[in-house]
Amino acid sequence: MKPHGPIPPGFTADDDGMLMIGSDRAEALVDAAGDTPLFVYDSALLTARVAEWRAAMPDNVQLHFAMKANPYAPLLAYMARLVDGFDVASGGELKAALASGMAADHISFAGPGKRDRELEAAIAAGATLNLESAGEAERALSIGARLGVTPKLAVRVNPDFDLKGSGMKMGGGAKPFGVDADEVPALVRRLIDAGADWQGFHIFAGSQALDAAAIAETQAQTVALAARLADEAGAVPPLVNLGGGMGVPYFPGDKAVDAAAVGAALAETLDARDRALEDSRFAMELGRWLVAEAGVYLTRVVDRKVSHGETFLVTDGGLHHQLAASGNFGTVIRRNYPIAVANRFGGEAVETVSVVGCLCTPLDRLGDQVALPRADVGDLIAVFQAGAYGASASPATFLGQGPAREMLV
Ligand SMILES: *Cc1c(COP(=O)(O)O)cnc(C)c1O
């Protein structure tokens, strides 16, 4: 038997043992959607998460949603009313962000390899470009000149440190992301001298960290770096985007990040900040921490079989919707996501089974030798932490399967 990750708090069963998502039975949601596989996102959990963040963080820090974690249009429209800005990473995401109702001047666009038409769309709309290189800066300036629009430009900094214990390192050393810190002051001068509307810095040092002390240390380094660069450039950054990094517990032994501790440390860091940043505003950009726990992936058992003594529950879902849960999205060692039998939720585990998907590849495993209540053909399996990097980060067309259904409740 191999353990699975912790079921997120806030999920309960009704008297029949059916998983409740918000005020709805999981089975009823599947009926309403028409079929499995289905992603359900619980809006009350989104609201609660944002409220938790705001209660924890100092007042002068804004909350941005990194929409690559979940670009489902109804969820974006919902988040647009809750957060202070969206961070997008492609022309397609920019379009979706604008369609969600988020104001263009609260949208920033990062990401390497922005094509001219993407730069143009952002400048024309009035969104901020987080510049990834000096070359991109020149292209943005000339597009602005051609359009007769003053471009809003921030500089993404490749910091010389990274977030300790983070699942995905985005700073420190040679990177395709951002401008090396040493070259930033000259680039800021160039932007200001060219008449651009310089918006400040974007400094993102890593992702999926659970240790509040590590996040706090990175934020302190980030604020110090922003102050040094502002000082060297001789200009006050209107906004310093401190990045994100707050992760979620996916795997056995993972503990939720202590948001209150992150917020308390950040308040101290900002209170003690250098005068170079006295008039700056600050933001954090979060993806998975805001949306992962609100999502549940529901898939139905199609077959139950035994091979060489191992029991398999074969479902109608799989890695084409939940690549990360299958262990094939940037994880080194495959471990089990939180998983349950939705219609025996909270029931006693009586057997060890492997929950697999319907794809003809051994990679397609949602739960590897997990202890679960008995499940048979027709029963529902729930995979948790499914609100981020699920539907949009999985190869939905692989093997001709097609996308899962999605719904916001
Ligand atoms: C992916 C990404 C995020 C979001 O990361 P999470 O781990 O989902 O919070 C934030 N900022 C940037 C620049 C990113 O690339």
Side-chain angles (χ1 to χ4, degrees):
M1 197 270 284
K2 296 177 185 170
H4 60 69
I7 307 285
F11 289 99
T12 56
D14 72 358
D15 292 345
D16 296 333
M18 179 62 72
L19 171 68
M20 302 295 291
I21 304 174
S23 52
D24 298 299
R25 291 162 51 85
E27 184 75 60
L29 293 170
V30 171
D31 288 346
D35 204 357
T36 47
L38 170 67
F39 285 93
V40 182
Y41 312 116
D42 180 349
S43 60
L45 292 178
L46 298 173
T47 300
R49 204 66 162 163
V50 171
E52 180 186 350
W53 187 91
R54 291 204 191 279
M57 298 299 151
D59 289 342
N60 54 345
V61 184
Q62 298 181 340
L63 177 59
H64 292 186
F65 175 47
M67 68 165 274
K68 79 169 187 279
N70 192 328
Y72 179 54
L75 181 139
L76 281 186
Y78 192 82
M79 293 299 284
R81 299 200 306 266
L82 288 181
V83 302
D84 308 308
F86 280 172
D87 291 324
V88 306
S90 73
E93 285 194 352
L94 173 65
K95 222 169 167 179
L98 291 167
S100 76
M102 178 57 74
D105 58 348
H106 293 262
I107 297 172
S108 51
F109 182 176
K114 300 183 197 78
R115 283 150 285 189
D116 283 356
R117 69 179 130 82
E118 294 175 298
L119 298 174
E120 180 169 334
I123 292 168
T128 295
L129 288 165
N130 290 339
L131 299 169
E132 304 278 351
S133 74
E136 190 175 271
E138 292 308 321
R139 287 193 291 133
L141 288 171
S142 59
I143 289 168
R146 174 163 57 74
L147 297 177
V149 176
T150 304
K152 293 185 170 164
L153 304 176
V155 177
R156 179 166 180 184
V157 181
N158 176 21
D160 14 40
F161 49 83
D162 59 33
L163 173 53
K164 289 195 184 67
S166 69
M168 234 172 270
K169 294 190 183 354
M170 302 285 276
K175 289 283 175 316
F177 312 109
V179 177
D180 290 353
D182 292 350
E183 293 163 22
V184 167
L187 181 59
V188 170
R189 289 301 340 153
R190 163 77 185 129
L191 298 177
I192 292 171
D193 292 347
D197 182 0
W198 179 55
Q199 294 283 310
F201 297 124
H202 174 214
I203 308 177
F204 182 82
S207 207
Q208 181 50 22
L210 297 172
D211 177 6
I215 296 169
E217 185 194 324
T218 296
Q219 289 185 328
Q221 286 177 295
T222 302
V223 171
L225 175 61
R228 173 163 71 78
L229 297 175
D231 200 45
E232 287 174 22
V236 177
L239 180 72
V240 179
N241 180 336
L242 302 167
M246 290 168 67
V248 293
Y250 290 116
F251 301 120
D254 283 357
K255 293 264 179 335
V257 47
D258 182 347
V262 173
L266 182 55
E268 274 184 36
T269 294
L270 292 182
D271 285 349
R273 71 186 181 273
D274 192 276
R275 295 210 24 219
L277 301 180
E278 205 166 26
D279 296 323
S280 300
R281 290 173 293 114
F282 297 87
M284 276 175 72
E285 55 178 2
L286 298 176
R288 72 188 79 214
W289 191 85
L290 290 174
V291 295
E293 276 186 26
V296 182
Y297 178 65
L298 296 169
T299 177
R300 205 179 284 284
V301 178
V302 175
D303 197 7
R304 180 188 164 101
K305 60 186 281 189
V306 176
S307 170
H308 290 279
E310 185 173 343
T311 301
F312 290 90
L313 301 176
V314 185
T315 68
D316 62 2
L319 71 76
H320 52 303
H321 304 146
Q322 267 296 347
L323 189 63
S326 77
N328 295 293
F329 191 59
T331 34
V332 180
I333 302 167
R334 195 205 171 286
R335 287 173 296 169
N336 288 315
Y337 262 44
I339 189 168
V341 179
N343 52 306
R344 299 209 175 83
F345 190 64
E348 196 193 336
V350 295
E351 60 178 5
T352 297
V353 296
S354 286
V355 181
V356 299
C358 54
L359 302 189
C360 209
T361 157
L363 300 177
D364 194 8
R365 210 168 260 244
L366 295 173
D368 185 32
Q369 297 174 43
V370 285
L372 291 177
R374 164 95 193 188
D376 289 287
V377 172
D379 286 337
L380 283 177
I381 299 292
V383 179
F384 295 87
Q385 299 289 11
Y389 305 108
S392 72
S394 304
T397 57
F398 191 32
L399 277 150
Q401 290 290 343
R405 290 155 205 256
E406 294 180 272
M407 92 197 302
L408 178 76
V409 296

